mmCIF file of all heavy atoms in Angstrom:
data_model
loop_
_atom_site.group_PDB
_atom_site.id
_atom_site.type_symbol
_atom_site.label_atom_id
_atom_site.label_comp_id
_atom_site.label_asym_id
_atom_site.label_seq_id
_atom_site.Cartn_x
_atom_site.Cartn_y
_atom_site.Cartn_z
ATOM 1 N N SER A 1115 1.091 -8.541 -4.496
ATOM 2 C CA SER A 1115 2.484 -8.990 -4.549
ATOM 3 C C SER A 1115 2.729 -9.900 -5.741
ATOM 4 O O SER A 1115 1.798 -10.471 -6.315
ATOM 5 C CB SER A 1115 2.829 -9.740 -3.269
ATOM 6 O OG SER A 1115 2.662 -8.899 -2.175
ATOM 7 N N ASN A 1116 4.007 -10.012 -6.086
ATOM 8 C CA ASN A 1116 4.455 -10.961 -7.111
ATOM 9 C C ASN A 1116 3.837 -10.690 -8.475
ATOM 10 O O ASN A 1116 3.341 -11.587 -9.144
ATOM 11 C CB ASN A 1116 4.168 -12.399 -6.666
ATOM 12 C CG ASN A 1116 4.789 -12.708 -5.335
ATOM 13 O OD1 ASN A 1116 5.971 -12.479 -5.127
ATOM 14 N ND2 ASN A 1116 3.992 -13.186 -4.400
ATOM 15 N N ASN A 1117 3.850 -9.428 -8.868
ATOM 16 C CA ASN A 1117 3.387 -9.008 -10.183
ATOM 17 C C ASN A 1117 4.503 -8.228 -10.858
ATOM 18 O O ASN A 1117 5.651 -8.302 -10.443
ATOM 19 C CB ASN A 1117 2.128 -8.149 -10.051
ATOM 20 C CG ASN A 1117 0.931 -8.970 -9.638
ATOM 21 O OD1 ASN A 1117 0.423 -9.750 -10.411
ATOM 22 N ND2 ASN A 1117 0.500 -8.792 -8.398
ATOM 23 N N GLN A 1118 4.162 -7.463 -11.829
ATOM 24 C CA GLN A 1118 5.125 -6.613 -12.521
ATOM 25 C C GLN A 1118 4.692 -5.154 -12.449
ATOM 26 O O GLN A 1118 4.976 -4.366 -13.353
ATOM 27 C CB GLN A 1118 5.279 -7.056 -13.985
ATOM 28 C CG GLN A 1118 5.853 -8.445 -14.157
ATOM 29 C CD GLN A 1118 7.257 -8.554 -13.595
ATOM 30 O OE1 GLN A 1118 8.110 -7.721 -13.883
ATOM 31 N NE2 GLN A 1118 7.506 -9.570 -12.800
ATOM 32 N N LEU A 1119 4.014 -4.765 -11.361
ATOM 33 C CA LEU A 1119 3.526 -3.394 -11.220
ATOM 34 C C LEU A 1119 4.688 -2.411 -11.179
ATOM 35 O O LEU A 1119 5.686 -2.654 -10.498
ATOM 36 C CB LEU A 1119 2.698 -3.251 -9.949
ATOM 37 C CG LEU A 1119 1.456 -4.118 -9.838
ATOM 38 C CD1 LEU A 1119 0.818 -3.943 -8.472
ATOM 39 C CD2 LEU A 1119 0.476 -3.784 -10.943
ATOM 40 N N THR A 1120 4.546 -1.298 -11.870
ATOM 41 C CA THR A 1120 5.577 -0.256 -11.837
ATOM 42 C C THR A 1120 5.107 0.985 -11.098
ATOM 43 O O THR A 1120 5.916 1.797 -10.668
ATOM 44 C CB THR A 1120 6.015 0.145 -13.258
ATOM 45 O OG1 THR A 1120 4.882 0.597 -13.982
ATOM 46 C CG2 THR A 1120 6.669 -1.044 -13.967
ATOM 47 N N SER A 1121 3.802 1.155 -10.951
ATOM 48 C CA SER A 1121 3.249 2.335 -10.298
ATOM 49 C C SER A 1121 1.980 1.948 -9.554
ATOM 50 O O SER A 1121 1.181 1.142 -10.053
ATOM 51 C CB SER A 1121 2.942 3.399 -11.355
ATOM 52 O OG SER A 1121 2.411 4.544 -10.764
ATOM 53 N N LEU A 1122 1.815 2.539 -8.371
ATOM 54 C CA LEU A 1122 0.621 2.259 -7.580
ATOM 55 C C LEU A 1122 0.231 3.535 -6.853
ATOM 56 O O LEU A 1122 1.027 4.098 -6.101
ATOM 57 C CB LEU A 1122 0.926 1.141 -6.582
ATOM 58 C CG LEU A 1122 -0.221 0.476 -5.846
ATOM 59 C CD1 LEU A 1122 -1.270 -0.061 -6.803
ATOM 60 C CD2 LEU A 1122 0.318 -0.658 -4.985
ATOM 61 N N ASN A 1123 -0.979 4.007 -7.108
ATOM 62 C CA ASN A 1123 -1.487 5.217 -6.471
ATOM 63 C C ASN A 1123 -2.722 4.852 -5.656
ATOM 64 O O ASN A 1123 -3.761 4.510 -6.208
ATOM 65 C CB ASN A 1123 -1.842 6.270 -7.521
ATOM 66 C CG ASN A 1123 -2.292 7.577 -6.901
ATOM 67 O OD1 ASN A 1123 -2.766 7.627 -5.772
ATOM 68 N ND2 ASN A 1123 -2.140 8.644 -7.637
ATOM 69 N N LEU A 1124 -2.582 4.941 -4.330
ATOM 70 C CA LEU A 1124 -3.661 4.588 -3.414
ATOM 71 C C LEU A 1124 -4.134 5.801 -2.636
ATOM 72 O O LEU A 1124 -4.722 5.675 -1.566
ATOM 73 C CB LEU A 1124 -3.189 3.487 -2.475
ATOM 74 C CG LEU A 1124 -2.766 2.212 -3.196
ATOM 75 C CD1 LEU A 1124 -1.995 1.293 -2.277
ATOM 76 C CD2 LEU A 1124 -3.972 1.511 -3.784
ATOM 77 N N SER A 1125 -3.902 6.985 -3.183
ATOM 78 C CA SER A 1125 -4.231 8.220 -2.471
ATOM 79 C C SER A 1125 -5.740 8.423 -2.295
ATOM 80 O O SER A 1125 -6.148 9.170 -1.412
ATOM 81 C CB SER A 1125 -3.609 9.422 -3.182
ATOM 82 O OG SER A 1125 -4.087 9.527 -4.508
ATOM 83 N N ASN A 1126 -6.570 7.749 -3.077
ATOM 84 C CA ASN A 1126 -8.023 7.862 -2.914
ATOM 85 C C ASN A 1126 -8.603 6.797 -1.997
ATOM 86 O O ASN A 1126 -9.792 6.771 -1.752
ATOM 87 C CB ASN A 1126 -8.721 7.779 -4.273
ATOM 88 C CG ASN A 1126 -8.494 9.020 -5.091
ATOM 89 O OD1 ASN A 1126 -8.376 10.108 -4.548
ATOM 90 N ND2 ASN A 1126 -8.410 8.867 -6.395
ATOM 91 N N ASN A 1127 -7.766 5.908 -1.497
ATOM 92 C CA ASN A 1127 -8.227 4.789 -0.681
ATOM 93 C C ASN A 1127 -8.019 5.084 0.799
ATOM 94 O O ASN A 1127 -7.151 4.514 1.452
ATOM 95 C CB ASN A 1127 -7.498 3.513 -1.094
ATOM 96 C CG ASN A 1127 -7.731 3.193 -2.548
ATOM 97 O OD1 ASN A 1127 -6.931 3.546 -3.393
ATOM 98 N ND2 ASN A 1127 -8.851 2.562 -2.837
ATOM 99 N N ASP A 1128 -8.867 5.953 1.343
ATOM 100 C CA ASP A 1128 -8.673 6.404 2.721
ATOM 101 C C ASP A 1128 -9.103 5.387 3.773
ATOM 102 O O ASP A 1128 -8.897 5.598 4.957
ATOM 103 C CB ASP A 1128 -9.367 7.750 2.960
ATOM 104 C CG ASP A 1128 -10.852 7.722 2.649
ATOM 105 O OD1 ASP A 1128 -11.377 6.658 2.258
ATOM 106 O OD2 ASP A 1128 -11.480 8.784 2.792
ATOM 107 N N SER A 1129 -9.641 4.245 3.378
ATOM 108 C CA SER A 1129 -9.977 3.173 4.329
ATOM 109 C C SER A 1129 -8.912 2.090 4.359
ATOM 110 O O SER A 1129 -9.010 1.144 5.135
ATOM 111 C CB SER A 1129 -11.325 2.540 3.963
ATOM 112 O OG SER A 1129 -12.359 3.488 4.081
ATOM 113 N N LEU A 1130 -7.908 2.218 3.525
ATOM 114 C CA LEU A 1130 -6.872 1.191 3.415
ATOM 115 C C LEU A 1130 -6.103 1.046 4.726
ATOM 116 O O LEU A 1130 -5.590 2.016 5.265
ATOM 117 C CB LEU A 1130 -5.911 1.546 2.279
ATOM 118 C CG LEU A 1130 -4.955 0.449 1.848
ATOM 119 C CD1 LEU A 1130 -5.713 -0.703 1.206
ATOM 120 C CD2 LEU A 1130 -3.937 1.010 0.867
ATOM 121 N N ASN A 1131 -6.049 -0.178 5.247
ATOM 122 C CA ASN A 1131 -5.328 -0.468 6.483
ATOM 123 C C ASN A 1131 -4.111 -1.340 6.269
ATOM 124 O O ASN A 1131 -3.225 -1.380 7.108
ATOM 125 C CB ASN A 1131 -6.245 -1.177 7.486
ATOM 126 C CG ASN A 1131 -7.272 -0.261 8.068
ATOM 127 O OD1 ASN A 1131 -6.998 0.902 8.318
ATOM 128 N ND2 ASN A 1131 -8.466 -0.771 8.259
ATOM 129 N N SER A 1132 -4.075 -2.079 5.182
ATOM 130 C CA SER A 1132 -2.988 -3.024 4.965
ATOM 131 C C SER A 1132 -2.648 -3.076 3.482
ATOM 132 O O SER A 1132 -3.539 -3.107 2.633
ATOM 133 C CB SER A 1132 -3.407 -4.399 5.475
ATOM 134 O OG SER A 1132 -2.351 -5.302 5.386
ATOM 135 N N LEU A 1133 -1.359 -3.116 3.209
ATOM 136 C CA LEU A 1133 -0.879 -3.140 1.826
ATOM 137 C C LEU A 1133 0.288 -4.106 1.712
ATOM 138 O O LEU A 1133 1.297 -3.966 2.403
ATOM 139 C CB LEU A 1133 -0.435 -1.735 1.398
ATOM 140 C CG LEU A 1133 0.255 -1.614 0.046
ATOM 141 C CD1 LEU A 1133 -0.680 -2.055 -1.078
ATOM 142 C CD2 LEU A 1133 0.739 -0.195 -0.169
ATOM 143 N N GLN A 1134 0.134 -5.076 0.865
ATOM 144 C CA GLN A 1134 1.185 -6.043 0.570
ATOM 145 C C GLN A 1134 1.489 -5.954 -0.917
ATOM 146 O O GLN A 1134 0.712 -6.424 -1.741
ATOM 147 C CB GLN A 1134 0.714 -7.460 0.918
ATOM 148 C CG GLN A 1134 0.282 -7.637 2.353
ATOM 149 C CD GLN A 1134 1.458 -7.597 3.286
ATOM 150 O OE1 GLN A 1134 2.479 -8.241 3.060
ATOM 151 N NE2 GLN A 1134 1.338 -6.816 4.344
ATOM 152 N N CYS A 1135 2.588 -5.309 -1.265
ATOM 153 C CA CYS A 1135 2.914 -5.152 -2.689
ATOM 154 C C CYS A 1135 4.385 -5.481 -2.951
ATOM 155 O O CYS A 1135 5.016 -4.890 -3.813
ATOM 156 C CB CYS A 1135 2.548 -3.754 -3.183
ATOM 157 S SG CYS A 1135 3.368 -2.409 -2.320
ATOM 158 N N GLN A 1136 4.918 -6.432 -2.208
ATOM 159 C CA GLN A 1136 6.306 -6.831 -2.395
ATOM 160 C C GLN A 1136 6.483 -7.610 -3.699
ATOM 161 O O GLN A 1136 5.523 -8.081 -4.290
ATOM 162 C CB GLN A 1136 6.807 -7.651 -1.197
ATOM 163 C CG GLN A 1136 6.110 -8.967 -0.969
ATOM 164 C CD GLN A 1136 4.893 -8.862 -0.080
ATOM 165 O OE1 GLN A 1136 4.281 -7.823 0.055
ATOM 166 N NE2 GLN A 1136 4.527 -9.977 0.519
ATOM 167 N N ASN A 1137 7.723 -7.687 -4.130
ATOM 168 C CA ASN A 1137 8.104 -8.460 -5.317
ATOM 169 C C ASN A 1137 7.424 -7.974 -6.589
ATOM 170 O O ASN A 1137 6.804 -8.737 -7.324
ATOM 171 C CB ASN A 1137 7.807 -9.954 -5.111
ATOM 172 C CG ASN A 1137 8.508 -10.511 -3.910
ATOM 173 O OD1 ASN A 1137 9.663 -10.183 -3.650
ATOM 174 N ND2 ASN A 1137 7.821 -11.322 -3.131
ATOM 175 N N ASN A 1138 7.519 -6.689 -6.824
ATOM 176 C CA ASN A 1138 7.034 -6.077 -8.049
ATOM 177 C C ASN A 1138 8.181 -5.318 -8.701
ATOM 178 O O ASN A 1138 9.341 -5.534 -8.353
ATOM 179 C CB ASN A 1138 5.867 -5.125 -7.743
ATOM 180 C CG ASN A 1138 4.556 -5.860 -7.595
ATOM 181 O OD1 ASN A 1138 4.015 -6.359 -8.564
ATOM 182 N ND2 ASN A 1138 4.048 -5.927 -6.373
ATOM 183 N N GLN A 1139 7.869 -4.420 -9.578
ATOM 184 C CA GLN A 1139 8.849 -3.543 -10.225
ATOM 185 C C GLN A 1139 8.482 -2.087 -9.958
ATOM 186 O O GLN A 1139 8.646 -1.229 -10.825
ATOM 187 C CB GLN A 1139 8.897 -3.826 -11.728
ATOM 188 C CG GLN A 1139 9.290 -5.238 -12.089
ATOM 189 C CD GLN A 1139 10.673 -5.587 -11.587
ATOM 190 O OE1 GLN A 1139 11.600 -4.782 -11.691
ATOM 191 N NE2 GLN A 1139 10.825 -6.772 -11.030
ATOM 192 N N LEU A 1140 7.972 -1.808 -8.746
ATOM 193 C CA LEU A 1140 7.483 -0.461 -8.432
ATOM 194 C C LEU A 1140 8.573 0.590 -8.561
ATOM 195 O O LEU A 1140 9.691 0.415 -8.081
ATOM 196 C CB LEU A 1140 6.898 -0.416 -7.023
ATOM 197 C CG LEU A 1140 5.559 -1.112 -6.827
ATOM 198 C CD1 LEU A 1140 5.172 -1.090 -5.358
ATOM 199 C CD2 LEU A 1140 4.479 -0.455 -7.668
ATOM 200 N N ILE A 1141 8.207 1.669 -9.202
ATOM 201 C CA ILE A 1141 9.038 2.867 -9.287
ATOM 202 C C ILE A 1141 8.398 3.959 -8.457
ATOM 203 O O ILE A 1141 9.074 4.721 -7.787
ATOM 204 C CB ILE A 1141 9.204 3.308 -10.760
ATOM 205 C CG1 ILE A 1141 9.928 2.215 -11.552
ATOM 206 C CG2 ILE A 1141 9.955 4.634 -10.849
ATOM 207 C CD1 ILE A 1141 9.914 2.434 -13.046
ATOM 208 N N THR A 1142 7.052 4.023 -8.472
ATOM 209 C CA THR A 1142 6.326 5.010 -7.675
ATOM 210 C C THR A 1142 5.257 4.316 -6.842
ATOM 211 O O THR A 1142 4.580 3.395 -7.312
ATOM 212 C CB THR A 1142 5.659 6.088 -8.556
ATOM 213 O OG1 THR A 1142 4.706 5.472 -9.414
ATOM 214 C CG2 THR A 1142 6.689 6.840 -9.371
ATOM 215 N N LEU A 1143 5.135 4.782 -5.602
ATOM 216 C CA LEU A 1143 4.100 4.295 -4.689
ATOM 217 C C LEU A 1143 3.574 5.495 -3.924
ATOM 218 O O LEU A 1143 4.315 6.166 -3.213
ATOM 219 C CB LEU A 1143 4.673 3.246 -3.728
ATOM 220 C CG LEU A 1143 3.741 2.718 -2.642
ATOM 221 C CD1 LEU A 1143 2.492 2.095 -3.238
ATOM 222 C CD2 LEU A 1143 4.482 1.713 -1.768
ATOM 223 N N ASP A 1144 2.296 5.778 -4.080
ATOM 224 C CA ASP A 1144 1.662 6.924 -3.428
ATOM 225 C C ASP A 1144 0.597 6.409 -2.463
ATOM 226 O O ASP A 1144 -0.420 5.872 -2.890
ATOM 227 C CB ASP A 1144 1.035 7.842 -4.468
ATOM 228 C CG ASP A 1144 0.512 9.146 -3.883
ATOM 229 O OD1 ASP A 1144 0.388 9.250 -2.645
ATOM 230 O OD2 ASP A 1144 0.223 10.059 -4.666
ATOM 231 N N ILE A 1145 0.861 6.541 -1.160
ATOM 232 C CA ILE A 1145 -0.110 6.122 -0.150
ATOM 233 C C ILE A 1145 -0.569 7.316 0.692
ATOM 234 O O ILE A 1145 -0.969 7.163 1.834
ATOM 235 C CB ILE A 1145 0.422 4.980 0.738
ATOM 236 C CG1 ILE A 1145 1.740 5.344 1.403
ATOM 237 C CG2 ILE A 1145 0.545 3.697 -0.059
ATOM 238 C CD1 ILE A 1145 2.231 4.316 2.407
ATOM 239 N N ARG A 1146 -0.528 8.509 0.106
ATOM 240 C CA ARG A 1146 -1.021 9.713 0.794
ATOM 241 C C ARG A 1146 -2.541 9.686 0.809
ATOM 242 O O ARG A 1146 -3.200 10.304 -0.010
ATOM 243 C CB ARG A 1146 -0.525 10.969 0.089
ATOM 244 C CG ARG A 1146 0.964 11.174 0.183
ATOM 245 C CD ARG A 1146 1.392 12.356 -0.620
ATOM 246 N NE ARG A 1146 1.206 12.020 -2.051
ATOM 247 C CZ ARG A 1146 1.400 12.854 -3.043
ATOM 248 N NH1 ARG A 1146 1.755 14.092 -2.813
ATOM 249 N NH2 ARG A 1146 1.226 12.465 -4.288
ATOM 250 N N ASN A 1147 -3.095 8.962 1.761
ATOM 251 C CA ASN A 1147 -4.539 8.773 1.810
ATOM 252 C C ASN A 1147 -5.169 9.285 3.102
ATOM 253 O O ASN A 1147 -6.335 9.050 3.356
ATOM 254 C CB ASN A 1147 -4.887 7.298 1.608
ATOM 255 C CG ASN A 1147 -4.325 6.416 2.703
ATOM 256 O OD1 ASN A 1147 -3.711 6.887 3.649
ATOM 257 N ND2 ASN A 1147 -4.521 5.124 2.569
ATOM 258 N N GLY A 1148 -4.402 9.944 3.954
ATOM 259 C CA GLY A 1148 -4.925 10.449 5.218
ATOM 260 C C GLY A 1148 -5.102 9.384 6.270
ATOM 261 O O GLY A 1148 -5.667 9.640 7.329
ATOM 262 N N ASN A 1149 -4.612 8.178 6.010
ATOM 263 C CA ASN A 1149 -4.827 7.053 6.926
ATOM 264 C C ASN A 1149 -3.534 6.309 7.239
ATOM 265 O O ASN A 1149 -3.567 5.189 7.728
ATOM 266 C CB ASN A 1149 -5.852 6.086 6.298
ATOM 267 C CG ASN A 1149 -6.394 5.100 7.284
ATOM 268 O OD1 ASN A 1149 -6.630 5.412 8.444
ATOM 269 N ND2 ASN A 1149 -6.614 3.873 6.834
ATOM 270 N N ASN A 1150 -2.384 6.889 6.976
ATOM 271 C CA ASN A 1150 -1.124 6.184 7.155
ATOM 272 C C ASN A 1150 -0.891 5.693 8.572
ATOM 273 O O ASN A 1150 -0.360 4.594 8.765
ATOM 274 C CB ASN A 1150 0.052 7.052 6.737
ATOM 275 C CG ASN A 1150 0.154 7.244 5.241
ATOM 276 O OD1 ASN A 1150 1.007 7.996 4.788
ATOM 277 N ND2 ASN A 1150 -0.685 6.605 4.435
ATOM 278 N N THR A 1151 -1.261 6.455 9.574
ATOM 279 C CA THR A 1151 -1.014 6.010 10.950
ATOM 280 C C THR A 1151 -1.798 4.748 11.259
ATOM 281 O O THR A 1151 -1.325 3.889 11.999
ATOM 282 C CB THR A 1151 -1.352 7.110 11.974
ATOM 283 O OG1 THR A 1151 -2.704 7.517 11.789
ATOM 284 C CG2 THR A 1151 -0.425 8.299 11.813
ATOM 285 N N ASN A 1152 -2.971 4.582 10.705
ATOM 286 C CA ASN A 1152 -3.746 3.360 10.908
ATOM 287 C C ASN A 1152 -3.198 2.196 10.096
ATOM 288 O O ASN A 1152 -3.323 1.048 10.494
ATOM 289 C CB ASN A 1152 -5.214 3.581 10.561
ATOM 290 C CG ASN A 1152 -5.878 4.513 11.539
ATOM 291 O OD1 ASN A 1152 -5.561 4.521 12.718
ATOM 292 N ND2 ASN A 1152 -6.790 5.321 11.042
ATOM 293 N N MET A 1153 -2.592 2.490 8.973
ATOM 294 C CA MET A 1153 -1.985 1.437 8.180
ATOM 295 C C MET A 1153 -0.831 0.820 8.944
ATOM 296 O O MET A 1153 -0.664 -0.384 8.965
ATOM 297 C CB MET A 1153 -1.488 1.985 6.847
ATOM 298 C CG MET A 1153 -2.582 2.391 5.904
ATOM 299 S SD MET A 1153 -1.950 3.154 4.415
ATOM 300 C CE MET A 1153 -1.288 1.740 3.566
ATOM 301 N N TYR A 1154 -0.044 1.647 9.584
ATOM 302 C CA TYR A 1154 1.148 1.154 10.266
ATOM 303 C C TYR A 1154 0.808 0.324 11.492
ATOM 304 O O TYR A 1154 1.522 -0.595 11.849
ATOM 305 C CB TYR A 1154 2.052 2.324 10.663
ATOM 306 C CG TYR A 1154 3.433 1.860 10.992
ATOM 307 C CD1 TYR A 1154 4.337 1.601 9.983
ATOM 308 C CD2 TYR A 1154 3.823 1.638 12.302
ATOM 309 C CE1 TYR A 1154 5.598 1.146 10.267
ATOM 310 C CE2 TYR A 1154 5.083 1.176 12.596
ATOM 311 C CZ TYR A 1154 5.969 0.926 11.565
ATOM 312 O OH TYR A 1154 7.213 0.463 11.846
ATOM 313 N N THR A 1155 -0.305 0.605 12.150
ATOM 314 C CA THR A 1155 -0.651 -0.104 13.371
ATOM 315 C C THR A 1155 -1.739 -1.147 13.159
ATOM 316 O O THR A 1155 -2.305 -1.650 14.112
ATOM 317 C CB THR A 1155 -1.108 0.887 14.460
ATOM 318 O OG1 THR A 1155 -2.228 1.621 13.969
ATOM 319 C CG2 THR A 1155 0.005 1.838 14.823
ATOM 320 N N SER A 1156 -2.012 -1.492 11.928
ATOM 321 C CA SER A 1156 -3.023 -2.497 11.631
ATOM 322 C C SER A 1156 -2.649 -3.835 12.269
ATOM 323 O O SER A 1156 -1.477 -4.165 12.430
ATOM 324 C CB SER A 1156 -3.126 -2.662 10.110
ATOM 325 O OG SER A 1156 -3.946 -3.735 9.763
ATOM 326 N N PHE A 1157 -3.663 -4.637 12.610
ATOM 327 C CA PHE A 1157 -3.440 -5.935 13.246
ATOM 328 C C PHE A 1157 -2.631 -6.854 12.351
ATOM 329 O O PHE A 1157 -1.692 -7.498 12.773
ATOM 330 C CB PHE A 1157 -4.779 -6.582 13.602
ATOM 331 C CG PHE A 1157 -4.643 -7.984 14.110
ATOM 332 C CD1 PHE A 1157 -4.176 -8.210 15.391
ATOM 333 C CD2 PHE A 1157 -4.964 -9.059 13.309
ATOM 334 C CE1 PHE A 1157 -4.034 -9.500 15.870
ATOM 335 C CE2 PHE A 1157 -4.825 -10.352 13.783
ATOM 336 C CZ PHE A 1157 -4.368 -10.570 15.065
ATOM 337 N N TRP A 1158 -3.023 -6.950 11.087
ATOM 338 C CA TRP A 1158 -2.292 -7.790 10.140
ATOM 339 C C TRP A 1158 -0.976 -7.105 9.798
ATOM 340 O O TRP A 1158 -0.785 -5.945 10.057
ATOM 341 C CB TRP A 1158 -3.123 -7.987 8.878
ATOM 342 C CG TRP A 1158 -4.419 -8.655 9.176
ATOM 343 C CD1 TRP A 1158 -5.631 -8.052 9.274
ATOM 344 C CD2 TRP A 1158 -4.636 -10.022 9.469
ATOM 345 N NE1 TRP A 1158 -6.587 -8.965 9.594
ATOM 346 C CE2 TRP A 1158 -6.008 -10.180 9.728
ATOM 347 C CE3 TRP A 1158 -3.801 -11.126 9.546
ATOM 348 C CZ2 TRP A 1158 -6.567 -11.411 10.042
ATOM 349 C CZ3 TRP A 1158 -4.356 -12.345 9.857
ATOM 350 C CH2 TRP A 1158 -5.714 -12.478 10.106
ATOM 351 N N SER A 1159 -0.095 -7.830 9.203
ATOM 352 C CA SER A 1159 1.147 -7.222 8.747
ATOM 353 C C SER A 1159 0.773 -6.086 7.803
ATOM 354 O O SER A 1159 0.373 -6.319 6.668
ATOM 355 C CB SER A 1159 1.996 -8.259 8.032
ATOM 356 O OG SER A 1159 3.168 -7.683 7.552
#
């Protein structure tokens, strides 16, 4: 968070459970990693 990122591709990160990338300049965000349902129900925000 709080950077100037414009693009983020996490499609190879199939263990990812939590993502905090607010306050950037994102134009593209790819989280097609086969683990989205676990990301949404993760304990942390």
